[in-house]
């Protein structure tokens, strides 16, 4: 049975570790990376940023994904942004290959690669490789989609709990994409996804996994959750004012797009799509989008807390934010 490729990280022993900036959504990862790039330029170095974000790869998902502005992209080279149509699917395996290739190419140009983003499944694939899970089966996926629409994803989550309680325990009942994938894996293999992951020869990026020696990991983790939530609320309202709904309406004009594609499942876009389908009202859309954003942050934090040895900084503490930048600057000297 063909499987997803196992990505084995490679790194020359005589090279400095690659800096990777991760953290919760809204924690200021892009700001830190841009500040570092500005400092690098002042000492004669050129940083090229590699985006580790599952929404930024898609063209047309600009406002709702908080994509770096045109000015930011003009000031610093960004990779893996706007490389896919939203009708397409970009995988963690492809990110791992692309990121590894880009790191080599950037260094061959004499520049410094910095990976920045919060899609932790991409982190796992890049840092630890992928376990031997079967590739997607379109027929089974379509059947699960129909069943999910009929009985609802919380009921599908209950079905998953009966065959793979370990995976179900870490998924939200309405996380249709991951619930569907876990059920699909079970139907294809007859084995729970949790069992296949535990049998994998690679670390899965959770459960106390260590950071590979070829990566230097900086994590932005706000201690004041209330302030973070207020910032996220403000950011979403600013997105609405900047034309987010018009952006989603433009996406809906593409007949090849539908609600089950990964691009449209992105936080914010899914809820806006439901609103434009008259499934929810504007108040419900805002509430559900903000709730989904907070849930994303919780999942990111769960991943991050399991990674031993990460350098953690609170971006809401001015002294720690400066320490984070100073630490990143120090990595440039190695």
């Amino acid at each position: 049975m063909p499987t997803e490729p196992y990505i084995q990280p490679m790194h020359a022993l005589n090279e400095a570790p690659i800096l990777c900036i991760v953290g919760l959504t809204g924690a200021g990862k892009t700001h830190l990376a841009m500040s570092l790039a500005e400092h690098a330029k002042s000492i004669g170095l050129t940083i090229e940023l590699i985006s580790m974000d599952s929404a930024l790869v898609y063209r047309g998902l600009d406002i709702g994904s908080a994509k770096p502005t045109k000015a930011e992209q003009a000031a610093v080279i960004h990779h893996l942004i706007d490389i896919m149509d939203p009708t397409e699917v970009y995988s963690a395996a492809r990110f791992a290959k692309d990121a590894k290739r880009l790191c080599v190419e950037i260094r061959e140009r004499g520049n410094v690669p910095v990976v920045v983003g919060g899609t932790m499944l991409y982190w796992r694939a890049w840092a630890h490789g992928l376990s031997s899970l079967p590739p997607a089966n379109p027929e089974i996926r379509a059947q699960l989609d129909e069943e999910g629409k009929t009985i609802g994803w919380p009921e599908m989550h209950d079905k998953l709990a009966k065959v793979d309680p370990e995976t179900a325990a870490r998924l939200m009942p309405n996380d249709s994409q991951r619930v569907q994938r876990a059920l699909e894996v079970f139907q294809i293999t007859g084995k729970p996804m949790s069992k296949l992951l535990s049998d994998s020869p690679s670390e899965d990026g959770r459960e106390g996994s260590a950071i590979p020696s070829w990566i230097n990991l900086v994590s932005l983790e706000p201690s004041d959750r209330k302030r973070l939530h207020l910032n996220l609320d403000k950011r979403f309202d600013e997105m609405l004012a900047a034309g987010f709904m018009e952006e989603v309406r433009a996406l809906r004009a593409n007949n090849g797009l539908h609600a089950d594609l990964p691009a449209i499942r992105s936080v914010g876009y899914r809820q806006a799509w439901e609103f434009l389908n008259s499934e929810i009202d504007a108040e419900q859309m805002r509430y559900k989008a903000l709730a989904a954003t907070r849930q994303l942050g919780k999942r990111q934090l769960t991943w991050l807390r399991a990674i031993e040895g990460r350098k953690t900084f609170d971006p809401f503490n001015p002294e720690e934010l400066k320490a984070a930048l100073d630490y990143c600057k120090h990595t440039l000297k190695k």
Side-chain angles (χ1 to χ4, degrees):
M1 178 182 67
T3 62
E4 292 178 357
Y6 174 75
I7 309 297
Q8 178 61 50
M10 298 175 65
H11 179 73
L13 295 178
N14 62 339
E15 292 181 327
I18 296 165
L19 178 63
C20 180
I21 300 172
V22 295
L24 277 63
T25 183
K29 299 181 291 293
T30 297
H31 176 73
L32 176 60
M34 294 297 293
S35 298
L36 179 64
E38 184 177 350
H39 167 75
K41 190 178 297 185
S42 72
I43 60 173
L45 296 175
T46 298
I47 281 178
E48 298 187 33
L49 301 179
I50 300 171
S51 169
M52 190 171 70
D53 188 295
S54 60
L56 300 192
V57 298
Y58 293 111
R59 290 184 283 270
L61 275 68
D62 302 326
I63 299 172
S65 68
K67 189 171 289 180
T69 64
K70 297 296 183 185
E72 288 172 330
Q73 293 187 52
V76 179
I77 298 172
H78 287 69
H79 298 277
L80 304 186
I81 290 179
D82 291 338
I83 61 170
M84 306 285 289
D85 285 328
T87 54
E88 300 175 298
V89 176
Y90 190 76
S91 68
R94 180 166 172 185
F95 170 79
K97 290 180 179 179
D98 287 346
K100 190 195 308 183
R101 170 182 53 80
L102 285 166
C103 286
V104 172
E105 292 174 356
I106 291 167
R107 281 183 158 166
E108 286 178 346
R109 288 193 285 272
N111 295 338
V112 182
V114 175
V115 178
V116 55
T119 299
M120 300 310 295
L121 184 60
Y122 286 11
W123 155 262
R124 184 182 78 179
W126 178 56
H128 297 287
L130 292 171
S131 58
S132 296
L133 296 180
N137 182 303
E139 293 181 1
I140 292 178
R141 185 158 288 191
Q143 172 255 315
L144 290 170
D145 275 338
E146 285 301 315
E147 190 176 357
K149 291 175 183 177
T150 301
I151 67 175
W153 287 102
E155 186 69 25
M156 297 291 280
H157 184 270
D158 289 342
K159 291 184 64 174
L160 175 63
K162 294 176 182 177
V163 297
D164 189 355
E166 184 177 335
T167 298
R170 63 177 177 81
L171 298 181
M172 299 295 292
N174 283 313
D175 192 346
S176 58
Q177 186 174 359
R178 291 178 175 82
V179 170
Q180 178 204 58
R181 177 57 175 158
L183 286 168
E184 177 190 35
V185 167
F186 182 77
Q187 287 197 29
I188 293 172
T189 66
K191 297 180 180 180
M193 178 185 282
S194 56
K195 171 66 175 172
L196 294 174
L197 289 175
S198 67
D199 290 343
S200 169
S202 67
E203 294 187 72
D204 71 357
R206 311 180 208 207
E207 305 304 329
S209 61
I211 301 168
S213 60
W214 52 278
I215 296 177
N216 202 336
L217 189 66
V218 168
S219 182
L220 298 182
E221 301 173 24
S223 59
D224 188 342
R225 205 60 50 82
K226 183 177 180 180
R227 179 178 170 184
L228 175 64
H229 292 168
L230 288 173
N231 286 357
L232 292 173
D233 292 358
K234 180 183 177 183
R235 185 176 74 169
F236 186 71
D237 289 337
E238 289 173 345
M239 289 176 177
L240 290 174
F244 175 50
M245 296 310 300
E246 288 73 18
E247 178 174 279
V248 181
R249 287 190 180 94
L251 291 169
R252 282 169 56 83
N254 184 339
N255 293 330
L257 286 176
H258 54 81
D260 295 322
L261 286 168
I264 306 305
R265 285 176 172 172
S266 300
V267 170
Y269 289 92
R270 179 187 309 188
Q271 293 76 27
W273 199 274
E274 291 175 354
F275 168 72
L276 293 176
N277 276 349
S278 300
E279 298 172 21
I280 55 177
D281 61 29
E283 184 178 351
Q284 290 172 317
M285 178 199 68
R286 183 178 183 278
Y287 174 83
K288 292 182 68 174
L290 292 174
T293 304
R294 293 177 184 182
Q295 289 169 0
L296 170 61
K298 287 180 181 179
R299 290 196 299 271
Q300 290 170 322
L301 189 59
T302 298
W303 277 91
L304 293 169
R305 285 176 171 170
I307 302 174
E308 297 178 351
R310 71 194 190 284
K311 304 297 187 296
T312 306
F313 300 92
D314 183 351
F316 292 165
N317 181 321
E319 292 183 1
E320 287 205 26
L321 184 58
K322 180 181 181 300
L325 180 57
D326 288 343
Y327 179 84
C328 291
K329 290 178 181 178
H330 182 70
T331 68
L332 299 177
K333 300 176 183 179
K334 294 183 179 180

